Amino acid sequence: MTKLPWYPLSLFSISLTTTLLVYLCFGNSPPTDTAKVTLTPTIAAVEASNSIQQGQDITLNGKTYKIPWTQWQQGDKIRIGISDIGAMNLLGLELLSTNDPSLQPVRWFGTNSGQPLPVLARFIAPYRYLDITELIQLAGGELQVNNNTLNLNFPLAQINNIRQGNQTWGKRIVLEVDRPTVWQISQAKGHGVVMISGKASQTKLSDYNTSSSPKPLINTDEDDLGSGVSVPLDSSLFSLEDTGNLTKVHVNLPTAHGLNVFSLSNPNRIVIDVRNDGMVPKEIVWTKGIIWRQQLVTINNGRKQETFPVNWLEINQRSPNISLKPITTNVNGQTGTAPLVTTAQKWQAAAAINGGFFNRNNQLPLGAIRQDNNWLSSPILGRGAIGWNEKGQVLMNRLALQETLITATGNKVPIAFLNSGYIQGGVSRYTSEWGQSYTPLSDNETIIYVENNQVIYQEQAGKAGTKAYPIPSNGYLLTIRKNAVSPNIFARGTGVTLQSDTIPTEFNQLSHILGAGPLLMSNRRVVLNAESEKFSKGFQQQKASRSAIGLSQRGTIMLVAVHTRVGGSGASLDEMALIMERLGATDALNLDGGSSTGLVLGGQLIDRSPVTAARVHNGIGVFVNP
């Protein structure tokens, strides 16, 4: 076990020994000019320093969190970095706007100087780390490295006073604490929790205790953030719960309201705002080629103006160190779902957004996934898709895959689907990209083995899901459903050839494709037509959490997540198209939504609490190779 000593503040190139506290800011506005803080020599030293150790586990006062951290040698000192989004979620740091990826201004306790604390940032693929060494020490905390775990220990703060007030925009809860401390936030529909490393007196606990047990923070339905629950702003706004090392503030959230939590000083305070426009606009240049933006977008939907909080990433996929790729839960087949964060971490993606549709019951894909020129799953129903390649070419359009099997006897058999969980009558084809074996998805399928372009064997299957058939590595399986064609045309020994083409043919040149739909925009025009892409009436009319991918006027990729509008429900498809248009998209594609909506940066969700995010089958990963 390595215990880190106290590091002198004179490590910084500017004289922070006496002025560091001046940069700890509590003002409600981001700084007007952070570029005046000169840390160039220190940054150079960080870039030249040697990494010692990295890990994925952090314990905070005994509780373990999955957050990346790193340790490096800088001169004769040991430095500790935590992934920036992880530090925000774990410690309560507020990340402010910056156009310098190596310098991250934060707000977290301190004085009323009106300036942020400039924290040095270091990118080690796939994450951006904040050097929190002095910051932790400043708060009286201890840092220890034990094998692959970073241990953080803080003395518990004392919660001395609690008050609640009415504001024009909602409600404010203020907790006075005797020292800087850390907190975490979790929120779902109708309920939020702020977990503070501090103790309240028994009197305070009894004053703000409720007889009813706290609501569990769980994902309740497919559209968990798309429609609120009716909770009035009344005297039972919050309650306290003592869990030993934590005091939990349980907040009843009115319809479409959320939590905005920050710290103030003189005295030290944690402020919890309950409001329907709680998103703080920001623009953070995260690393070269990736910009993270939070903004309020107002659209005119024909009847009235609506404002939506939007989280999005702008990706310069033409940068030589940036690449995108479809990512799936299971690298050895197409069955499986997992949290998007888990899948992104498995693939070592710096960022990710959820992708196309899938069947939650059998966990199989329902739409196009092409990775490195291999079809993991074929398009369905002529729905919208995005394709791209390593040359920076990007195409969004409605997509179909046309495959025809031609037998040596002259029969032409259309292949309905390739490696797909979508079940319809006809002939489907399954390759090794599907997995090691195929288990019939419907009753009484005819299974045909093809190896080296020749029919080897066929068998009549029975009830769906009862027998697995191995997929040949040098061929594929065909399955005939609902007696669509006669099995006799596939007699043993029959030679077969395969013709395959995309519609439109431009997709043939693109090594990566992901389908979802409907298509929202094309060539700067809204082209939404969910009916033509065979989406149900209910889907067309739904207001929900939504995610989309777009192409900007600058030719960059846009990964966008939207949940509830200010004061109301989620976005309709029409509204999502208008949001993408307002953000500057020339082309845009709707992705899977509802509880599947998720946007990951630096190993953490940035658009929602993890407790509200459902498991997904696939996504689009962003990779950084410095």
Side-chain angles (χ1 to χ4, degrees):
M1 178 182 294
T2 304
K3 184 173 181 179
L4 297 179
W6 167 257
Y7 302 118
L9 300 180
S10 57
L11 281 171
F12 292 103
S13 61
I14 61 175
S15 179
L16 293 182
T17 310
T18 58
T19 62
L20 180 60
L21 290 178
V22 176
Y23 292 95
L24 293 167
C25 163
F26 298 33
N28 290 325
S29 300
T32 56
D33 186 3
T34 61
K36 294 180 181 178
V37 181
T38 304
L39 297 176
T40 305
T42 304
I43 294 170
V46 170
E47 291 174 346
S49 60
N50 297 318
S51 179
I52 299 174
Q53 192 171 358
Q54 291 178 283
Q56 297 288 327
D57 293 326
I58 297 178
T59 64
L60 176 62
N61 290 346
K63 185 176 180 180
T64 301
Y65 299 84
K66 283 289 182 184
I67 295 177
W69 62 273
T70 187
Q71 182 184 33
W72 68 86
Q73 183 84 29
Q74 183 177 314
D76 60 348
K77 305 298 182 182
I78 304 295
R79 313 298 297 174
I80 290 289
I82 297 178
S83 70
D84 53 354
I85 316 299
M88 178 182 74
N89 293 336
L90 183 67
L91 305 178
L93 303 184
E94 181 180 355
L95 308 185
L96 304 175
S97 295
T98 180
N99 57 10
D100 183 352
S102 64
L103 181 63
Q104 179 58 63
V106 303
R107 180 170 65 168
W108 187 76
F109 291 105
T111 70
N112 289 318
S113 67
Q115 290 292 327
L117 169 66
V119 178
L120 296 179
R122 185 184 196 213
F123 188 84
I124 306 174
Y127 305 124
R128 177 179 183 246
Y129 296 91
L130 300 185
D131 185 348
I132 47 84
T133 314
E134 270 86 17
L135 185 146
I136 298 298
Q137 299 281 4
L138 186 67
E142 292 184 345
L143 294 159
Q144 293 179 327
V145 174
N146 186 5
N147 296 323
N148 293 320
T149 300
L150 173 63
N151 298 319
L152 301 181
N153 290 286
F154 287 88
L156 295 182
Q158 182 68 36
I159 300 174
N160 294 325
N161 191 27
I162 305 172
R163 61 185 184 272
Q164 173 184 327
N166 298 322
Q167 304 290 331
T168 56
W169 38 257
K171 293 276 190 177
R172 171 168 285 180
I173 304 165
V174 180
L175 298 95
E176 293 185 7
V177 291
D178 67 343
R179 62 183 304 136
T181 190
V182 299
W183 67 87
Q184 300 85 47
I185 306 169
S186 187
Q187 55 184 325
K189 183 170 64 177
H191 184 223
V193 179
V194 181
M195 295 158 280
I196 301 170
S197 293
K199 298 281 287 184
S201 67
Q202 288 301 316
T203 301
K204 295 295 180 186
L205 290 170
S206 60
D207 287 345
Y208 295 98
N209 192 19
T210 58
S211 57
S212 61
S213 58
K215 292 182 181 180
L217 281 172
I218 58 173
N219 160 41
T220 54
D221 55 49
E222 285 299 292
D223 184 23
D224 62 297
L225 293 181
S227 57
V229 294
S230 181
V231 178
L233 279 167
D234 57 22
S235 58
S236 60
L237 177 65
F238 72 97
S239 62
L240 300 182
E241 179 188 4
D242 183 6
T243 63
N245 289 339
L246 292 174
T247 295
K248 293 185 177 181
V249 184
H250 293 270
V251 184
N252 292 318
L253 295 177
T255 300
H257 281 59
L259 300 178
N260 180 26
V261 185
F262 57 94
S263 57
L264 297 174
S265 64
N266 298 328
N268 292 319
R269 285 156 289 165
I270 296 174
V271 180
I272 304 171
D273 284 347
V274 181
R275 55 193 303 163
N276 61 13
D277 59 348
M279 175 179 281
V280 178
K282 69 178 67 174
E283 179 176 304
I284 293 175
V285 178
W286 194 73
T287 192
K288 185 178 180 180
I290 300 179
I291 301 174
W292 170 26
R293 292 187 178 93
Q294 286 185 177
Q295 66 188 90
L296 297 171
V297 175
T298 300
I299 62 171
N300 189 333
N301 62 11
R303 297 179 301 275
K304 62 177 182 178
Q305 288 189 334
E306 299 280 4
T307 300
F308 291 87
V310 179
N311 247 304
W312 66 289
L313 301 176
E314 183 175 7
I315 313 295
N316 182 8
Q317 84 284 0
R318 294 174 178 172
S319 172
N321 66 318
I322 300 287
S323 61
L324 282 78
K325 178 181 290 191
I327 57 176
T328 56
T329 300
N330 184 353
V331 297
N332 298 312
Q334 293 311 305
T335 303
T337 61
L340 181 63
V341 165
T342 302
T343 302
Q345 290 174 346
K346 178 190 295 185
W347 284 85
Q348 289 291 286
I353 193 168
N354 65 290
F357 302 104
F358 59 97
N359 186 313
R360 287 202 181 276
N361 294 323
N362 59 24
Q363 302 181 0
L364 293 174
L366 297 173
I369 308 174
R370 178 166 164 166
Q371 183 189 81
D372 296 322
N373 289 307
N374 296 313
W375 284 107
L376 308 187
S377 176
S378 66
I380 63 172
L381 303 173
R383 289 179 172 173
I386 178 173
W388 66 95
N389 60 21
E390 290 72 19
K391 299 177 182 178
Q393 297 173 310
V394 181
L395 174 65
M396 290 188 213
N397 207 333
R398 298 181 180 99
L399 170 67
L401 177 64
Q402 189 174 66
E403 286 198 332
T404 303
L405 203 64
I406 303 174
T407 70
T409 55
N411 292 298
K412 294 185 178 182
V413 181
I415 303 298
F417 303 103
L418 168 63
N419 294 331
S420 180
Y422 188 64
I423 309 304
Q424 294 289 306
V427 179
S428 290
R429 189 165 73 96
Y430 291 89
T431 69
S432 57
E433 279 75 26
W434 180 258
Q436 293 183 341
S437 64
Y438 166 76
T439 301
L441 301 173
S442 60
D443 295 341
N444 304 316
E445 296 180 7
T446 301
I447 307 298
I448 299 164
Y449 285 82
V450 177
E451 295 184 41
N452 297 318
N453 299 317
Q454 188 176 65
V455 176
I456 302 300
Y457 172 75
Q458 66 172 255
E459 178 179 328
Q460 184 69 37
K463 189 174 179 59
T466 57
K467 181 179 179 180
Y469 294 85
I471 297 175
S473 59
N474 57 344
Y476 47 85
L477 293 184
L478 298 175
T479 176
I480 303 174
R481 299 190 180 110
K482 298 184 178 180
N483 301 312
V485 300
S486 171
N488 295 333
I489 64 176
F490 294 110
R492 179 177 295 182
T494 301
V496 294
T497 57
L498 186 69
Q499 294 179 346
S500 183
D501 202 4
T502 61
I503 304 173
T505 58
E506 288 83 357
F507 276 102
N508 284 324
Q509 310 303 317
L510 305 177
S511 52
H512 304 296
I513 296 174
L514 189 131
L519 192 68
L520 300 175
M521 293 185 65
S522 179
N523 196 24
R524 294 178 169 82
R525 294 188 303 111
V526 174
V527 296
L528 173 64
N529 190 339
E531 184 177 1
S532 72
E533 296 186 29
K534 297 182 175 59
F535 286 100
S536 68
K537 290 286 187 183
F539 182 89
Q540 294 176 43
Q541 297 168 1
Q542 186 183 32
K543 294 181 178 180
S545 296
R546 299 209 177 273
S547 58
I549 185 167
L551 186 65
S552 77
Q553 297 172 10
R554 294 179 294 278
T556 55
I557 294 290
M558 307 163 66
L559 307 181
V560 182
V562 178
H563 295 288
T564 56
R565 73 194 69 211
V566 172
S569 60
S572 67
L573 288 170
D574 290 300
E575 289 169 331
M576 192 64 188
L578 293 175
I579 290 169
M580 296 301 292
E581 186 178 42
R582 285 300 303 272
L583 290 175
T586 61
D587 301 79
L589 173 71
N590 184 67
L591 301 174
D592 192 6
S595 57
S596 293
T597 297
L599 189 59
V600 170
L601 182 64
Q604 306 286 311
L605 283 168
I606 58 173
D607 67 308
R608 69 192 306 163
S609 289
V611 292
T612 69
R615 299 165 69 91
V616 298
H617 177 275
N618 61 81
I620 298 175
V622 180
F623 300 86
V624 182
N625 303 296

